[in-house]
Amino acid sequence: MPLKVGDFVLPGELIEDIKSIKGLTIVGPGLRQNEEKPNILCVTQPGTLRFKAPNMYWIEGKRKRYIPKKGDLVVGIVVKKSGDTLKVDIGAAEFASLSMLAFEGATKKQKPDVQVGDCVYAKLLNAHREMEPELVCIDSYYKAGKLGILPNQGFLLTISLNLTQSLLDIENPLLRSIGKKIPYEMALGVNGKVWINCKKSKEVIYLMKIFDVAERELHKDAVTVCND
Amino acid sequence: MENSKQIKLSKAILEMKFMKRTKEKVEKEKEDAEGQAMYSGEITEEMRRTGNLVFISTSIVNCKNLIDGRLSFGGMNPEIEKLMANDYGIQLGEEEKRKEKDITDVEMAEGYSTVVNTVEKKFSKSNKHKFKNKKFMKPVDGPLM
């Protein structure tokens, strides 16, 4: 039975008749090319099969562990400083490396002031299965933009990847509506780490509670399905 | 110059001092031919294995059109809010526009085409009816005046 878009799929299942443009198909997380029959995709994680016109496939599951992917914007904690490189915990299987020279305006002589324990908002420069992920805090024009070291005052918490993705969806009005009540700034990494900064610590706790409730709301449908 | 294809030069001639350049040329040709023969089997094997689809893997950010996570609201960090106006503001505007349009362009086009179809059917039907009505009536044979 051929799999349809929106079906629940399990690892090992095959997706045939792939749509493509000029022989090109974009594949998101949870899928990989089948080795035996190269025109077929193989599922590697359980979840719902999603498709976006014209040629994009991916799996939406309840994955807990973040898998680094090139181009992702993540929040990380500096855990080690050795020479010119920093080791950053981004919640992946391995620490990511961040060069001291990959900050805006950094030179060999003038390095940024980073301490162990600092939070950084950085972009993944490359991420392969066999290599340690590499971060940068500048874009291709050597400008920092929104990237860089996050201020020391602030609070870091970890939320689920599903909640992160739903919060980062522009259709989700939660972040904007909180902003109307409480002035706050945040760095929401795709890896599930969130750095929040408010004027009062009471407001930080308030935000944390909101995320907690939002997380439970996300799982509500799963609970109701199980009860039925 | 026309030697290489038609006439095969003998080894003895190629060994001569003034034939050095020709010798190199002949040897290169020979090598190329050998190489092609050697790899042709492998190329077909490879071609058989790889399909005609190219897969590019991408992050969930591109799949779901996620926004940048560095946000500031209520004037907490004016610098970030200035940067946000460039992307977050535009994305928000687009989103609102999309919401306002409760019927998408595709739906509109589909609806319109069905309307066209039904109207067309109606006309075709009515035409048939007209033809049915306009049957040729045989004039009644009767005594001529």
Side-chain angles (χ1 to χ4, degrees):
Chain A
M1 193 185 80
L3 291 171
K4 285 197 298 290
V5 172
D7 278 359
F8 181 78
V9 290
L10 288 168
E13 289 190 86
L14 302 174
I15 302 160
E16 287 168 39
D17 50 86
I18 306 269
K19 289 194 185 74
S20 67
I21 288 182
K22 290 178 188 166
L24 196 88
T25 302
I26 302 166
V27 171
L31 292 168
R32 77 180 154 81
Q33 190 174 6
N34 192 17
E35 274 155 26
E36 288 301 311
K37 295 174 196 155
N39 274 353
I40 290 177
L41 282 173
C42 187
V43 180
T44 59
Q45 82 175 68
T48 323
L49 178 64
R50 296 267 185 240
F51 171 74
K52 192 168 86 178
N55 60 347
M56 206 181 255
Y57 288 88
W58 75 95
I59 301 284
E60 233 173 85
K62 293 200 187 311
R63 180 183 282 286
K64 291 269 174 68
R65 171 70 77 177
Y66 171 66
I67 295 174
K69 204 84 210 173
K70 190 180 172 181
D72 277 356
L73 295 164
V74 294
V75 173
I77 312 155
V78 178
V79 288
K80 205 178 154 192
K81 211 170 148 182
S82 54
D84 267 356
T85 54
L86 305 164
K87 287 275 174 285
V88 182
D89 181 12
I90 55 169
E94 207 177 350
F95 290 147
S97 75
L98 171 60
S99 170
M100 289 274 233
L101 302 173
F103 288 89
E104 188 181 323
T107 57
K108 274 258 177 195
K109 284 191 178 159
Q110 204 177 17
K111 283 169 197 163
D113 177 34
V114 197
Q115 305 302 326
V116 171
D118 279 356
C119 287
V120 286
Y121 185 60
K123 190 176 198 163
L124 272 159
L125 186 66
N126 61 41
H128 291 285
R129 267 186 301 184
E130 293 86 4
M131 280 160 62
E132 74 173 352
E134 200 180 332
L135 296 169
V136 282
C137 282
I138 42 173
D139 59 11
S140 45
Y141 305 109
Y142 297 100
K143 286 274 176 284
K146 295 173 185 175
L147 306 171
I149 305 159
L150 296 167
N152 265 334
Q153 61 271 26
F155 190 81
L156 187 88
L157 72 151
T158 313
I159 58 173
S160 78
L161 294 183
N162 280 62
L163 180 60
T164 319
Q165 282 159 20
S166 80
L167 286 177
L168 284 176
D169 198 337
I170 193 80
E171 286 175 35
N172 194 332
L174 181 63
L175 297 179
R176 323 190 254 283
S177 32
I178 299 170
K180 279 172 197 160
K181 295 261 179 200
I182 310 167
Y184 72 102
E185 67 170 316
M186 75 184 319
L188 187 56
V190 190
N191 56 344
K193 289 195 190 302
V194 193
W195 174 89
I196 322 168
N197 189 16
C198 297
K199 279 176 181 154
K200 292 177 202 156
S201 43
K202 200 173 124 192
E203 291 167 349
V204 175
I205 296 167
Y206 188 47
L207 274 175
M208 274 177 70
K209 275 188 181 161
I210 290 173
F211 290 141
D212 211 29
V213 171
E215 192 122 17
R216 258 178 283 155
E217 283 292 311
L218 267 188
H219 292 296
K220 219 175 193 176
D221 56 334
V223 172
T224 50
V225 165
C226 288
N227 285 338
D228 290 342
Chain B
M1 281 314 233
E2 69 257 26
N3 55 359
S4 58
K5 266 167 201 156
Q6 285 95 16
I7 314 151
K8 261 196 178 172
L9 294 169
S10 77
K11 234 179 205 174
I13 294 169
L14 286 173
E15 284 302 312
M16 283 176 194
K17 213 164 193 181
F18 67 92
M19 291 299 270
K20 211 177 167 187
R21 280 170 76 185
T22 321
K23 192 187 167 193
E24 274 171 12
K25 214 170 97 184
V26 170
E27 269 176 0
K28 196 175 174 277
E29 263 171 26
K30 213 171 144 191
E31 236 168 60
D32 283 354
E34 262 177 20
Q36 233 169 19
M38 240 169 93
Y39 290 115
S40 64
E42 225 157 283
I43 287 165
T44 48
E45 172 77 9
E46 195 88 325
M47 279 172 174
R48 201 169 54 78
R49 282 184 56 82
T50 48
N52 50 2
L53 283 185
V54 177
F55 292 107
I56 298 175
S57 80
T58 185
S59 138
I60 190 85
V61 177
N62 298 323
C63 294
K64 293 175 100 178
N65 279 339
L66 300 183
I67 51 166
D68 275 13
R70 189 84 172 92
L71 304 165
S72 164
F73 295 99
M76 188 69 190
N77 191 337
E79 232 172 89
I80 295 292
E81 280 185 24
K82 212 190 282 171
L83 289 168
M84 264 169 67
N86 292 331
D87 44 20
Y88 187 77
I90 292 167
Q91 279 164 325
L92 201 63
E94 277 172 11
E95 172 57 25
E96 266 162 17
K97 233 183 250 171
R98 214 168 57 79
K99 258 187 203 163
E100 270 173 29
K101 248 197 246 172
D102 46 350
I103 300 166
T104 63
D105 292 340
V106 176
E107 278 171 17
M108 180 71 192
E110 274 170 8
Y112 201 71
S113 66
T114 52
V115 166
V116 168
N117 281 343
T118 47
V119 171
E120 202 178 69
K121 266 180 206 165
K122 209 176 177 183
F123 269 101
S124 59
K125 263 183 201 166
S126 58
N127 273 350
K128 265 180 201 167
H129 278 296
K130 266 179 203 165
F131 278 117
K132 265 182 194 169
N133 292 344
K134 281 187 182 172
K135 253 186 193 168
F136 179 70
M137 305 278 271
K138 239 183 176 179
V140 190
D141 287 331
L144 286 165
M145 292 263 253

